[in-house]
Amino acid sequence: MSNETSAAASSRGELFLLSAPSGAGKTTLIRSVIESLAREGGGGLEFSVSHTTRQPRQGEIAGKDYRFVGAAEFQRMIADDLFLEWAEVHGNYYGTSAAAVDPFLERGIDVLVDLDVQGAERLMHRFPAAHSIFILPPSRADLVGRLEGRNLDGADEIARRLAVSLWEIRRYDRYQYVIINDDAKRASRALQAIVLEKRQRRLRMQRRVEGILADFSQNSSS
């Protein structure tokens, strides 16, 4: 690898792909890790806000949780090739726009994308260097309790989501990392550890190391 190519690679942000069955708690984990990194001075992790045609749920904020658009607008974006990936999930469309990912990576900012298994597999092919993480509930009973406890879906919708979750869980082996969310704090620490470990790779640290070496060279006594 040439010095120019090495410098470009070291300055590019890391891409993290996070998937989980509906109700497994990935949204809570994402918020916890972003807040923790910011609090500890280790920010630089951008959450990619996906587009969706579904209606906002109680407490969701447009532009923060999702970019809510109509079906016609979503189809226009598909036609204009604005999505890195898109899929129909639970009867609604979801998509990750290039504008929500590429500019941040190019500026050296890490990006975390919350997406379904279909979308994750598409981005794995598109970004082979991405880090893929699958969040699992500790049991089916736990997932049922979470879906029922959030009071967002009726019995039929919960049954459908559980059926889909089995298909999703069977595809866990496509991912590089698996976190079992049996304890929110422990799962959050595990996710944060993955992010921090990738930031310490030699190539990523190259510019800082070169600066330290230069400082030693300039100030070393003969």
Side-chain angles (χ1 to χ4, degrees):
M1 181 181 289
S2 68
N3 289 337
E4 183 177 346
T5 303
S6 177
S10 64
S11 62
R12 186 172 174 83
E14 306 284 348
L15 180 61
F16 298 91
L17 312 177
L18 195 67
S19 301
S22 178
K26 67 180 183 296
T27 300
T28 301
L29 291 182
I30 290 170
R31 288 174 178 168
S32 174
V33 168
I34 291 176
E35 291 171 2
S36 179
L37 287 172
R39 187 169 56 249
E40 296 170 7
L45 180 63
E46 184 73 20
F47 175 61
S48 171
V49 182
S50 300
H51 286 71
T52 183
T53 59
R54 76 161 171 77
Q55 294 298 308
R57 292 171 178 158
Q58 185 177 1
E60 287 184 329
I61 301 173
K64 180 179 180 181
D65 296 294
Y66 284 97
R67 301 191 187 282
F68 298 99
V69 297
E73 174 66 9
F74 198 97
Q75 292 297 327
R76 182 194 67 76
M77 294 182 70
I78 293 175
D80 291 343
D81 196 26
L82 299 181
F83 289 119
L84 295 174
E85 63 80 26
W86 63 271
E88 183 178 3
V89 183
H90 300 303
N92 293 292
Y93 288 98
Y94 294 80
T96 305
S97 70
V101 175
D102 288 339
F104 296 104
L105 295 179
E106 291 168 3
R107 286 158 46 199
I109 298 172
D110 298 334
V111 178
L112 194 156
V113 186
D114 169 5
L115 69 177
D116 68 285
V117 170
Q118 298 176 68
E121 292 182 357
R122 292 190 180 105
L123 286 192
M124 287 177 201
H125 288 294
R126 190 158 188 165
F127 298 93
H131 314 295
S132 54
I133 307 158
F134 195 84
I135 308 298
L136 271 170
S139 67
R140 187 180 186 279
D142 181 89
L143 187 60
V144 171
R146 294 186 189 198
L147 289 171
E148 292 178 344
R150 65 187 191 177
N151 296 316
L152 295 174
D153 305 299
D156 290 344
E157 178 63 18
I158 289 176
R160 188 167 68 85
R161 289 178 181 271
L162 288 170
V164 172
S165 72
L166 177 59
W167 176 84
E168 292 173 325
I169 290 171
R170 284 174 171 163
R171 302 179 79 81
Y172 81 94
D173 58 354
R174 272 73 169 174
Y175 293 73
Q176 297 167 312
Y177 299 91
V178 173
I179 298 174
I180 298 176
N181 190 14
D182 55 354
D183 178 273
K185 289 185 179 180
R186 183 164 56 240
S188 177
R189 288 197 299 269
L191 179 56
Q192 184 171 333
I194 293 170
V195 173
L196 293 176
E197 186 273 330
K198 296 306 175 186
R199 291 181 174 183
Q200 307 310 309
R201 290 181 304 145
R202 182 186 60 78
L203 187 60
R204 178 72 180 266
M205 299 295 289
Q206 184 168 326
R207 286 187 174 179
R208 292 190 62 186
V209 172
E210 288 174 351
I212 293 171
L213 282 173
D215 174 64
F216 270 79
S217 298
Q218 294 167 6
N219 295 287
S220 294
S221 57
S222 56

